[in-house]
Amino acid sequence: MNDLLTVKDVSYKKNQKLVLQNVNLKLNSGKIVALLGENGAGKTTLMRIIAGVAKNYKGEINIEGATKEAERKAKLSFTDGLTGFSDSTKIKEVVKFYATIFEDFDENEFDELRQFMKLDPEMKLSQLSRGMREKLIIALTFSRKADLYLLDEPFGGIDAMARKKIINSIILWKDEKATILISDHFVNEISSLLDEVVIVKDHTVLEHKSADDIRQTHKSIEEYYESFYADEDDE
Amino acid sequence: MEFKDNIPIYLQIEQYLYRQIALGKLTAGEKIPSVRKLALELTVNVNTVQRALQQMNSQGILYTKRGEGNFVTEDTQLLAETKQSLINNELEQFVQNMERFGIKKVELVSTLENYLKDEGDQHE
């Protein structure tokens, strides 16, 4: 199978502080992959580097031959948290902005996703609950036609129903060849969905394994993940 | 359908479908739900469903019609064997559990007979 994403010897410092060191990672196309690690382990930073948002890193990122940031950005869709919009912005205005900025943004697809998520285009960002906001972010992210989707903690602080909607949207809208990388610090809620698991700890990628290979050893994904932190609980 | 997280999911999907077939919820020659529908119903990845269906295709219990989907085999002997092997699994479990309660194999039949008789009395 062809590599979709290659992260080679990537290191990153922020304010002289080491965030990531010698990260290596390869992802194939067509997979659902969890990026697991504690808060502060560097998951978001790694996603931001892959997405071309965080700059001044050392090492190389390659997405199907694209290494420059602008080229990479065209091949991936990243949840950016809607940080650039004011609270009074309506959903339909956000959509308009996305459609202008991204050539591959499909407004019809967004409309299907929006209806599936039960979001009203007239609503302002300030009116959205945490779960609705996350659903909107996912709908916007999946409305682009990309090879790689990066979802940064889509399940943080949302209720079970919103989570179920988001999980179902992943199953329904994921293109066969597209790969989805989902970061989380808690694996249970998505474990049945996963093809592969990537563990981020100590500023680097420690392990990368197939989910069913882990289960083959009669370990649950959660037990596997927790085993990386077991020694710390003893202290 | 809840999956155990310490057994490969594709194996559990196979078991689930085998059960559906043995229980007659999916019958000989019947089309099974699409890959995406199964994925949604079971909250699993499409790849995982595909892997399970591929295995079942190579075991002969399912067959694929190009562009139409997956169908349950019409081989009634194979279906009967499949059902019997699921029944055997249940029985094996039962025997093991009874052994844990200290009931020996030679006592099994009488234990079961007594139970069925008592249960029958209660229902009269």
Side-chain angles (χ1 to χ4, degrees):
Chain A
M1 216 178 281
N2 286 336
D3 289 334
L4 168 73
L5 167 73
T6 308
V7 176
K8 202 171 165 240
D9 299 329
V10 163
S11 296
Y12 184 78
K13 278 182 185 169
K14 198 175 178 185
N15 304 326
Q16 318 281 333
K17 230 185 98 195
L18 183 76
V19 183
L20 293 172
Q21 189 171 35
N22 285 328
V23 174
N24 286 286
L25 178 65
K26 276 182 188 214
L27 296 183
N28 291 328
S29 59
K31 304 281 184 191
I32 299 180
V33 184
L35 187 65
L36 298 174
E38 288 184 311
N39 289 331
K43 304 186 297 288
T44 301
T45 305
L46 179 56
M47 281 203 171
R48 287 168 56 84
I49 291 171
I50 294 169
V53 181
K55 295 178 170 74
N56 302 320
Y57 56 86
K58 281 186 192 142
E60 199 185 295
I61 314 272
N62 186 321
I63 302 173
E64 289 188 317
T67 52
K68 293 198 181 100
E69 275 145 22
E71 291 170 12
R72 258 154 47 202
K73 278 181 181 168
K75 287 180 180 283
L76 62 86
S77 184
F78 178 47
T79 58
D80 70 349
L82 301 171
T83 41
F85 298 96
S86 76
D87 278 352
S88 61
T89 316
K90 287 180 179 172
I91 289 182
K92 64 175 187 187
E93 292 162 351
V94 176
V95 173
K96 217 177 208 171
F97 178 80
Y98 266 72
T100 316
I101 293 291
F102 299 110
E103 238 173 76
D104 55 6
F105 189 87
D106 184 338
E107 287 190 65
N108 293 329
E109 185 125 327
F110 177 81
D111 230 45
E112 280 177 32
L113 275 153
R114 181 187 61 70
Q115 281 170 31
F116 179 78
M117 302 289 198
K118 299 197 163 48
L119 295 168
D120 176 357
E122 295 296 332
M123 275 181 98
K124 291 176 182 167
L125 294 183
S126 59
Q127 294 173 299
L128 303 180
S129 66
R130 185 84 184 81
M132 288 162 95
R133 197 179 168 92
E134 210 49 67
K135 285 194 251 183
L136 172 61
I137 290 171
I138 296 293
L140 289 166
T141 308
F142 283 158
S143 297
R144 287 189 54 203
K145 194 115 193 83
D147 302 316
L148 177 64
Y149 295 86
L150 304 173
L151 312 185
D152 191 16
E153 303 225 1
F155 306 108
I158 65 173
D159 62 72
M161 289 316 289
R163 187 161 65 226
K164 181 86 189 154
K165 273 275 177 209
I166 290 176
I167 286 174
N168 283 348
S169 76
I170 293 173
I171 297 169
L172 283 170
W173 267 273
K174 184 188 165 303
D175 191 81
E176 215 176 306
K177 286 186 195 131
T179 285
I180 303 183
L181 184 64
I182 308 168
S183 75
D184 211 334
H185 54 271
F186 184 70
V187 67
N188 258 355
E189 47 204 8
I190 49 166
S191 62
S192 69
L193 215 60
L194 301 174
D195 287 305
E196 294 168 5
V197 173
V198 174
I199 306 279
V200 180
K201 205 197 161 198
D202 302 333
H203 310 292
T204 195
V205 166
L206 276 192
E207 284 271 2
H208 178 192
K209 252 191 162 162
S210 133
D212 272 346
D213 282 354
I214 295 168
R215 295 190 185 101
Q216 203 89 56
T217 64
H218 304 295
K219 248 191 201 175
S220 72
I221 307 294
E222 194 187 14
E223 284 165 344
Y224 172 76
Y225 172 41
E226 281 176 350
S227 69
F228 289 93
Y229 290 95
D231 49 331
E232 287 169 20
D233 287 342
D234 295 340
E235 280 167 18
Chain B
M1 173 78 194
E2 281 284 320
F3 289 110
K4 290 188 182 140
D5 199 34
N6 57 358
I7 299 170
I9 304 277
Y10 75 94
L11 289 177
Q12 296 182 68
I13 298 171
E14 279 180 52
Q15 282 161 8
Y16 166 79
L17 288 172
Y18 269 113
R19 229 185 147 76
Q20 298 290 98
I21 292 166
L23 294 172
K25 288 180 181 161
L26 290 168
T27 55
E30 188 177 340
K31 185 181 188 303
I32 69 160
S34 73
V35 171
R36 212 167 278 264
K37 200 166 170 213
L38 278 171
L40 200 61
E41 202 176 294
L42 305 171
T43 320
V44 295
N45 190 317
V46 169
N47 296 335
T48 316
V49 176
Q50 254 153 4
R51 184 166 176 190
L53 296 187
Q54 265 164 22
Q55 298 258 10
M56 292 177 80
N57 262 284
S58 57
Q59 288 150 6
I61 193 79
L62 294 181
Y63 65 96
T64 307
K65 279 192 210 166
R66 215 169 248 278
E68 285 187 60
N70 287 283
F71 296 79
V72 179
T73 181
E74 283 160 35
D75 180 345
T76 45
Q77 191 179 341
L78 182 61
L79 287 170
E81 282 168 16
T82 299
K83 186 170 178 175
Q84 191 55 51
S85 89
L86 284 183
I87 291 172
N88 290 349
N89 286 344
E90 293 285 333
L91 287 171
E92 196 186 313
Q93 277 285 313
F94 174 73
V95 173
Q96 277 176 9
N97 287 337
M98 288 301 116
E99 269 176 358
R100 285 190 195 119
F101 285 120
I103 294 166
K104 297 190 190 85
K105 279 184 181 151
V106 288
E107 300 164 334
L108 270 177
V109 172
S110 61
T111 307
L112 191 56
E113 270 172 357
N114 284 339
Y115 169 76
L116 290 173
K117 192 168 153 283
D118 285 354
E119 200 196 35
D121 288 347
Q122 276 169 22
H123 287 197
E124 269 166 23

